[in-house]
Amino acid sequence: MSTFILGIESSCDDTSAAVLENEWIRSNIIANQHVHHSFGGVVPELASRAHQQNIIPVVEVALKEANITKKHLSAVAFTRGPGLLGSLLVGTSFAKSFALGLGIPIIEVDHLKAHILSHFIKVDSNSKQPAFPFLCLTVSGGHTQIVKVESPSNMTIIGSTIDDAAGEAFDKSAKIMGLPYPGGPEIDKLAIEGNPKAFSFPEPKIQGLNFSFSGLKTAFLYFLRDKLKTNDQFIELNKADLAASIQDTIIRILLSKLKRASRETGIREIAIAGGVSANSALRTALLASADKLNWTTHIPELQFSTDNAAMIAIAGYFKYLNNEFASQDITPYSKSKFA
Ligand code: KG4
Ligand code: ZN
């Protein structure tokens, strides 16, 4: 008999619901909140309100598209954290009451582990899943980690950022250039026309497998401030080259640590996950490294790179198989417990 998991994701500014039949995707609905664009970043209070408005319609569409009714559901998996507390409370409270009404269990999911487990969602017979153990470079708006994954429930962080996340490096650089939020996709688009070697920015010297991006942001800010003193059109005239150069630097920082992690662990099964894994140049650079280093790579479909509930449902499915259910008095957490 099939297991149907409803996944709920509400950690930041996307309200998402998805249905999985065992590992197979049946629906993955994502409502983006456009209300934040004019503020240049996510406004937590507005995000919670938008989740409250979106959650019921998004779940209804997810069930309809999956061609099932709520009576078919085996369990409800939800993001417990990390994320914005007000946003998480909406998803958590919804999951609890919906499941209670249906008399089915709830499953708590860590958002960062779910990004990694998104590689196990089956879309068609060509879906290729990573073999254990594998390394996952998780790059999102809030986190940058290299994780050694030995099983769905056994993951160890072997490197992480000591300050900004890679997504923040993209978003803050874009903001400095006057581009709209979120800046990552904007830089990605502009960079296609630009020369990645036009400008060079310093790479941080951080020990081991850890990352740092705050120095790069400051270097970029000071570089532009100096250029603008003599040419107030500097950004406008060099937009594509600036985007390509800052993107290239971020990717080089990420890949040099990933290569080191592969060397040190001897693992050549390599995955990327999280919003920044949608970046086209990162994907290309990863494939080029894979060719040289004999890596087997796993790059998520775009719908599973950025925040989505299908990844919450697959993480929930693995816990369902182990009877790992949460109790009704569970509360969300804003900081990651996965460390
Ligand atoms: O995983 P995600 O959707 O949300 C978090 O859990 O944070 O990641 C969002 C981040 C943002 O910083 C956004 O700018 C970045 O992912 N992002 C990208 C691209 N698409 C999304 N960064 C670079 N290139 C992209 N194409
Ligand atoms: Zn995320």
Side-chain angles (χ1 to χ4, degrees):
M1 210 180 79
S2 288
T3 299
F4 288 98
I5 307 282
L6 173 69
I8 303 289
E9 156 61 29
S10 72
S11 65
C12 191
D13 60 342
D14 295 314
T15 319
S16 180
V19 174
L20 250 62
E21 180 177 1
N22 303 331
E23 301 102 319
W24 292 89
I25 186 88
R26 293 286 294 258
S27 64
N28 185 32
I29 308 299
I30 304 167
N32 302 121
Q33 302 180 357
H34 301 290
V35 64
H36 308 287
H37 288 187
S38 55
F39 296 93
V42 178
V43 184
E45 180 75 19
L46 297 180
S48 320
R49 287 187 203 195
H51 283 305
Q52 194 82 69
Q53 285 164 352
N54 293 342
I55 193 130
I56 304 266
V58 161
V59 169
E60 277 176 353
V61 177
L63 290 171
K64 195 160 174 232
E65 203 168 279
N67 208 16
I68 62 163
T69 71
K70 54 191 179 205
K71 301 262 182 319
H72 291 97
L73 292 173
S74 315
V76 182
F78 64 96
T79 308
R80 186 178 176 198
L84 300 169
L85 210 52
S87 292
L88 291 163
L89 277 166
V90 177
T92 305
S93 304
F94 173 84
K96 285 190 201 183
S97 46
F98 196 63
L100 194 62
L102 293 168
I104 57 175
I106 51 171
I107 303 168
E108 58 150 312
V109 169
D110 183 278
H111 182 90
L112 293 167
K113 290 184 179 172
H115 268 302
I116 296 170
L117 295 173
S118 66
H119 286 284
F120 294 90
I121 301 167
K122 289 187 180 163
V123 177
D124 55 40
S125 51
N126 297 324
S127 300
K128 186 173 64 114
Q129 313 198 318
F132 298 110
F134 66 93
L135 295 180
C136 186
L137 173 70
T138 310
V139 270
S140 72
H143 298 84
T144 299
Q145 303 174 331
I146 300 176
V147 181
K148 184 176 167 192
V149 188
E150 280 167 285
S151 76
S153 57
N154 185 357
M155 304 186 189
T156 316
I157 298 171
I158 57 173
S160 60
T161 182
I162 58 166
D163 42 54
D164 289 352
E168 275 175 293
F170 272 102
D171 295 341
K172 288 179 178 173
S173 303
K175 196 169 184 174
I176 294 169
M177 287 174 64
L179 299 172
Y181 179 86
E186 299 289 328
I187 295 216
D188 193 349
K189 264 186 268 160
L190 271 176
I192 292 168
E193 306 289 325
N195 171 9
K197 305 294 170 213
F199 306 107
S200 68
F201 302 105
E203 286 180 42
K205 306 246 176 307
I206 303 293
Q207 287 199 330
L209 297 173
N210 288 338
F211 302 90
S212 165
F213 288 102
S214 70
L216 178 61
K217 170 197 66 193
T218 313
F220 191 56
L221 179 70
Y222 288 171
F223 171 80
L224 288 181
R225 198 187 54 184
D226 287 349
K227 293 289 182 190
L228 287 168
K229 275 184 196 155
T230 50
N231 177 1
D232 63 1
Q233 292 301 303
F234 184 80
I235 295 179
E236 197 47 46
L237 292 172
N238 296 281
K239 248 188 197 164
D241 284 349
L242 285 167
S245 300
I246 196 79
Q247 174 175 274
D248 188 64
T249 312
I250 296 169
I251 292 171
R252 266 189 292 120
I253 295 170
L254 292 172
L255 283 186
S256 80
K257 291 297 172 120
L258 189 55
K259 284 178 195 165
R260 182 173 178 160
S262 171
R263 258 194 330 267
E264 287 182 4
T265 58
I267 297 173
R268 295 208 302 268
E269 188 86 8
I270 309 287
I272 54 172
V276 179
S277 72
N279 184 268
S280 57
L282 173 60
R283 290 171 171 236
T284 308
L286 183 74
L287 292 175
S289 296
D291 261 359
K292 276 197 208 125
L293 300 166
N294 208 9
W295 285 353
T296 303
T297 51
H298 301 273
I299 299 177
E301 270 191 30
L302 281 179
Q303 63 162 331
F304 304 137
S305 298
T306 46
D307 288 348
N308 69 88
M311 68 183 197
I312 306 303
I314 190 77
Y317 175 67
F318 285 123
K319 285 191 157 187
Y320 183 91
L321 296 178
N322 287 334
N323 289 319
E324 283 180 61
F325 303 123
S327 66
Q328 277 283 332
D329 59 5
I330 195 162
T331 53
Y333 51 77
S334 57
K335 293 257 180 300
S336 186
K337 299 210 163 162
F338 171 38

